[in-house]
Amino acid sequence: MRVYHFIKLEHGLDSLRDKRLKISLIDKLNDPFELLALKLLGEYDKELDELMEKLKNFISQKYGILCFSLDWNSPLLWAHYAGNHQGICLGFEISERAKPINVTYINKRYNRKLHKIIEENNVEEMRKILSTKHTDWKYEKEIRLFTELAHKYEDKYYYNFSDSEDVVLKEVIIGCRSQTTREEITQKYGSEDINIFKVKASYSDFTMVKDIEF
């Protein structure tokens, strides 16, 4: 599966140099409803609310997320996550062994009983909780990899893809407003064994397309 990770230029060049991705911490993500896809059956159900928070904190302490998209041509993704089109996008081939999860987008929160899910150890229901967001986020077409918080450096956790067979860098896509060059990308990564191209605004659609003159 080919997936794409949008990133600001400075951090992207560091990622290429160090061959690693920063792991997003669950309790620091930009959506406050992360892992809260279940509807609380009572507005003041304090016990259930506390259980939800404990579950979220437990997962957050052990695991982080690598966030990708299925598309590289969304102007919104370039604007929101790649420094207003000044950054880059890293294209990875990920294997099924990495257990990628497609995010599901819904309008209303699931009406499930959390106690029952935990008691029955319902893995499928837990995956839904971990991979469900509101429809407003649908444009991201997000793919997630959950990974253990193991490699820490200066208060941040990283996933090293340098020797990974499950997450392999294949492409580096340069934003339409980026000042970086093909040579700089190659120099930072230390290899020419990746596809490098730049994007521009399409002449006919609201999408980004490959700049064949780059």
Side-chain angles (χ1 to χ4, degrees):
M1 175 189 294
R2 187 62 57 91
V3 296
Y4 300 92
H5 181 79
F6 294 83
I7 190 168
K8 293 181 178 179
L9 181 59
E10 177 184 356
H11 303 314
L13 294 176
D14 288 345
S15 289
L16 289 172
R17 181 195 64 207
D18 300 328
K19 298 178 175 56
R20 65 187 186 185
L21 290 175
K22 185 168 76 73
I23 298 172
S24 297
L25 301 180
I26 294 172
D27 57 357
K28 302 295 184 184
L29 293 173
N30 55 7
D31 182 4
F33 290 97
E34 288 290 350
L35 307 191
L36 297 176
L38 291 180
K39 179 181 179 180
L40 298 182
L41 300 183
E43 189 67 28
Y44 301 101
D45 190 339
K46 185 176 180 180
E47 181 183 353
L48 182 58
D49 185 50
E50 290 177 351
L51 184 59
M52 290 283 286
E53 283 300 319
K54 285 182 180 179
L55 176 63
K56 183 173 181 177
N57 290 336
F58 172 75
I59 296 174
S60 300
Q61 290 171 10
K62 295 190 65 176
Y63 299 98
I65 301 176
L66 295 177
C67 302
F68 303 95
S69 174
L70 288 172
D71 288 342
W72 56 262
N73 52 13
S74 166
L76 277 175
L77 291 176
W78 280 102
H80 293 170
Y81 299 115
N84 195 23
H85 296 262
Q86 298 177 65
I88 59 178
C89 176
L90 307 178
F92 292 89
E93 191 69 25
I94 59 175
S95 72
E96 289 301 317
R97 291 189 302 270
K99 298 180 180 180
I101 299 177
N102 290 70
V103 171
T104 300
Y105 302 95
I106 59 176
N107 285 315
K108 296 182 179 180
R109 288 161 75 174
Y110 292 126
N111 192 3
R112 302 283 199 276
K113 294 183 178 180
L114 184 61
H115 295 84
K116 189 174 182 180
I117 292 173
I118 295 175
E119 289 171 1
E120 296 178 353
N121 193 25
N122 192 323
V123 176
E124 192 59 34
E125 289 294 328
M126 286 301 300
R127 284 174 68 89
K128 283 185 178 181
I129 296 174
L130 296 172
S131 60
T132 299
K133 301 179 73 171
H134 186 258
T135 307
D136 284 349
W137 300 92
K138 190 174 183 179
Y139 73 95
E140 292 184 338
K141 297 182 181 178
E142 187 179 350
I143 299 292
R144 292 183 162 180
L145 295 185
F146 282 84
T147 181
E148 291 187 3
L149 299 175
H151 303 289
K152 189 175 184 180
Y153 179 73
E154 292 184 350
D155 296 326
K156 295 181 177 65
Y157 291 93
Y158 292 91
Y159 178 91
N160 297 317
F161 61 82
S162 58
D163 54 356
S164 173
E165 296 181 355
D166 297 324
V167 181
V168 181
L169 182 67
K170 293 292 187 178
E171 299 174 287
V172 176
I173 307 168
I174 302 173
C176 64
R177 295 173 178 164
S178 179
Q179 298 301 310
T180 192
T181 63
R182 189 190 304 272
E183 290 72 25
E184 184 175 23
I185 296 295
T186 300
Q187 182 182 32
K188 286 290 183 180
Y189 186 59
S191 170
E192 297 182 358
D193 192 27
I194 48 174
N195 182 30
I196 303 172
F197 65 93
K198 191 168 186 173
V199 295
K200 66 178 183 179
S202 170
Y203 294 140
S204 58
D205 300 296
F206 289 108
T207 187
M208 308 308 294
V209 296
K210 186 174 182 178
D211 186 353
I212 59 176
E213 296 181 357
F214 175 73

